[in-house]
Amino acid sequence: MESIKDKVAIIGMGCTKFGENWEKSAEDMMVDAASEACQDAGMDMKEIQAVWFGTTRLNTAEPCATALKLDYVPVTRVENLCATATEALRNACFGIASGVYDVVLAIGVEKLKDQGMGGLGTVSGAGGNGTLEWGMAAAMFFARMATRYMAHYGLTYEELKQTLAKISVKNHHNGTLNPRAHFQREITEEMAINAPMVSWPLGLYDACGVSDGSACAILCRADLAKKFRDDYVLVKGLGLAVGARQGYLQPEYDMVHMEETVRASKQAYDMAGIKDPFNEIDLAEVHDCFSITEMVIMEDLGFCPRGKAPEYVRNGTFALDGKLAVNPDGGLKSFGHPIGASGLRMVYEIYKQMQGKAGPRQRKNPTLGLTHNFGMNPGSGIGSVTILGQRD
């Protein structure tokens, strides 16, 4: 299989403020994100040859074409649960790498705050053959993972809660450094540990919120990137793994890992030529829908040995000034999770970090960054990993 490494460049990006954007429609937010991306790339929207559009709430590609005034340009709507925005980017990359297009746009948007219900609602269109568990919120699935992690690795409730609290405090702190984050307030470990319970043992600060937002990337052939800017960012690797419900069907599933994340990261690492992710990757934006999810992802991505994530968290390994910064922009904990936009919001942070433009969150001379999304629940889901890096 041929690698996509260094064939596609990101030359412009835009991202709205995430939050309760009551005064803006989904189309308004797309205009804001795409306009910033075009200005960043120094180009006109008319130069875009094709678009991949990620959303779970808008049913066609037409609202995107209308908002961006892209009359008769091919726009493809994509949806893949929580990996929807990353899917827009991944397909846009393939559009460039195939040689069909020179300059394309990937955009994601979601407007959830005024949908008339709390949370994300229930999964629809997932099919039904008796192998899918219905009627449970995501918090219940990830609470199962937390209780299983305690039993599997011999942690007490107090030890688990203290570790998860450190993750939530870290991400909220990083969010205070980001004016585009929904939540920009410090919390303490005591607040996280003593917060109202959502689904035992996960409390309020163990869960991400619901937000509105949009993010956008403009991509081109790597050999054309210098025409637009010197500090472009290259796509190094892409991975996508979709589970076939084996975690629901196989009694030996341990419930302390997500196989889809493991498989997706292996695909991306192989494409990027990464052998030792902990020592080669400088920063990562991962899918912290719940604090236990981030902790398990550290092991699934190979950032630490199995069962050692609590020790690495306690030692500050994944802090903004740690060995490998995780969620330096504040993550889902600070941004909330407008599903169709989250993946590209993560890419926006890696892009800015590679350019040295992340402000108070800037890491020193980063060379490789990773984004990760996980859709659905432990046992069966969608894992997506993207590796971005500096130009030569």
Side-chain angles (χ1 to χ4, degrees):
M1 183 169 62
E2 190 174 347
S3 173
I4 202 168
K5 182 180 179 182
D6 294 339
K7 294 179 179 176
V8 181
I10 301 178
I11 55 173
M13 287 206 72
C15 181
T16 67
K17 184 183 186 307
F18 281 33
E20 296 178 338
N21 296 337
W22 304 114
E23 77 286 3
K24 290 184 179 291
S25 66
E27 288 82 355
D28 291 335
M29 292 189 290
M30 282 193 279
V31 169
D32 290 347
S35 297
E36 181 189 345
C38 284
Q39 184 176 16
D40 184 46
M43 61 184 295
D44 192 274
M45 190 73 74
K46 294 178 180 177
E47 297 179 62
I48 299 297
Q49 298 169 342
V51 176
W52 278 266
F53 168 44
T55 179
T56 66
R57 296 301 195 268
L58 299 173
N59 293 328
T60 74
E62 188 268 352
C64 177
T66 302
L68 304 186
K69 300 188 186 316
L70 290 168
D71 294 340
Y72 312 115
V73 170
V75 180
T76 305
R77 175 188 176 275
V78 299
E79 178 180 353
N80 220 347
L81 292 174
C82 299
T84 291
T86 311
E87 273 297 271
L89 180 83
R90 194 176 73 95
N91 283 274
C93 287
F94 292 147
I96 293 289
S98 69
V100 174
Y101 301 110
D102 293 333
V103 182
V104 304
L105 182 144
I107 189 166
V109 71
E110 218 72 85
K111 188 160 176 60
L112 299 178
K113 292 301 297 183
D114 52 2
Q115 63 181 345
M117 60 182 176
L120 299 177
T122 57
V123 174
S124 62
N129 60 358
T131 62
L132 187 66
E133 290 187 90
W134 292 98
M136 291 180 62
M140 300 179 191
F141 279 97
F142 286 94
R144 284 180 179 177
M145 173 172 275
T147 55
R148 184 59 194 158
Y149 196 96
M150 279 193 287
H152 197 81
Y153 292 113
L155 270 66
T156 65
Y157 170 79
E158 289 74 20
E159 289 170 334
L160 177 78
K161 289 293 286 184
Q162 188 172 44
T163 302
L164 298 183
K166 289 181 181 298
I167 292 172
S168 299
V169 168
K170 168 182 70 70
N171 291 349
H172 274 274
H173 170 71
N174 294 348
T176 67
L177 305 175
N178 195 330
R180 298 177 195 249
H182 185 166
F183 303 108
Q184 300 178 35
R185 191 179 70 164
E186 300 273 6
I187 66 168
T188 66
E189 290 185 25
E190 290 71 25
M191 290 169 65
I193 291 170
N194 298 316
M197 200 61 69
V198 174
S199 183
W200 196 95
L202 302 180
L204 179 65
Y205 288 110
D206 291 310
C208 76
V210 172
S211 296
D212 305 327
S214 179
C216 176
I218 297 175
L219 302 88
C220 75
R221 284 170 30 200
D223 61 321
L224 299 178
K226 288 182 181 178
K227 290 174 51 181
F228 296 95
R229 65 190 312 147
D230 287 331
D231 57 349
Y232 58 87
V233 172
L234 291 171
V235 177
K236 301 290 184 178
L238 300 168
L240 177 73
V242 180
R245 302 179 184 171
Q246 292 304 302
Y248 301 156
L249 299 171
Q250 306 300 330
E252 63 267 24
Y253 173 53
D254 60 17
M255 201 72 184
V256 293
H257 84 289
M258 293 175 287
E259 187 65 24
E260 295 82 4
T261 295
V262 176
R263 302 292 182 109
S265 63
K266 185 178 187 313
Q267 293 173 24
Y269 293 157
D270 288 347
M271 282 189 188
I274 293 173
K275 306 294 184 188
D276 182 359
F278 179 64
N279 286 306
E280 294 182 56
I281 294 172
D282 300 286
L283 67 157
E285 288 286 330
V286 306
H287 202 85
D288 58 323
C289 53
F290 298 93
S291 52
I292 182 64
T293 322
E294 177 172 320
M295 193 169 81
V296 169
I297 290 168
M298 297 301 94
E299 299 175 6
D300 288 346
L301 292 177
F303 292 170
C304 63
R306 291 283 173 200
K308 296 295 184 182
E311 178 183 328
Y312 279 56
V313 170
R314 287 194 296 272
N315 292 337
T317 306
F318 306 122
L320 189 57
D321 59 353
K323 171 73 171 66
L324 196 170
V326 172
N327 289 326
D329 74 347
L332 297 177
K333 280 294 293 147
S334 292
F335 272 83
H337 184 24
I339 307 170
S342 290
L344 280 163
R345 181 269 299 164
M346 296 171 168
V347 172
Y348 183 83
E349 176 69 7
I350 303 297
Y351 173 77
K352 291 295 185 185
Q353 289 275 353
M354 291 297 147
Q355 294 176 325
K357 298 176 180 176
R361 308 180 310 282
Q362 182 64 48
R363 295 273 290 178
K364 185 177 180 181
N365 302 322
T367 57
L368 283 176
L370 174 150
T371 72
H372 160 269
N373 296 104
F374 182 83
M376 219 158 171
N377 302 307
S380 189
I382 295 163
S384 179
V385 171
T386 303
I387 309 285
L388 303 172
Q390 300 278 2
R391 51 166 291 189
D392 294 334

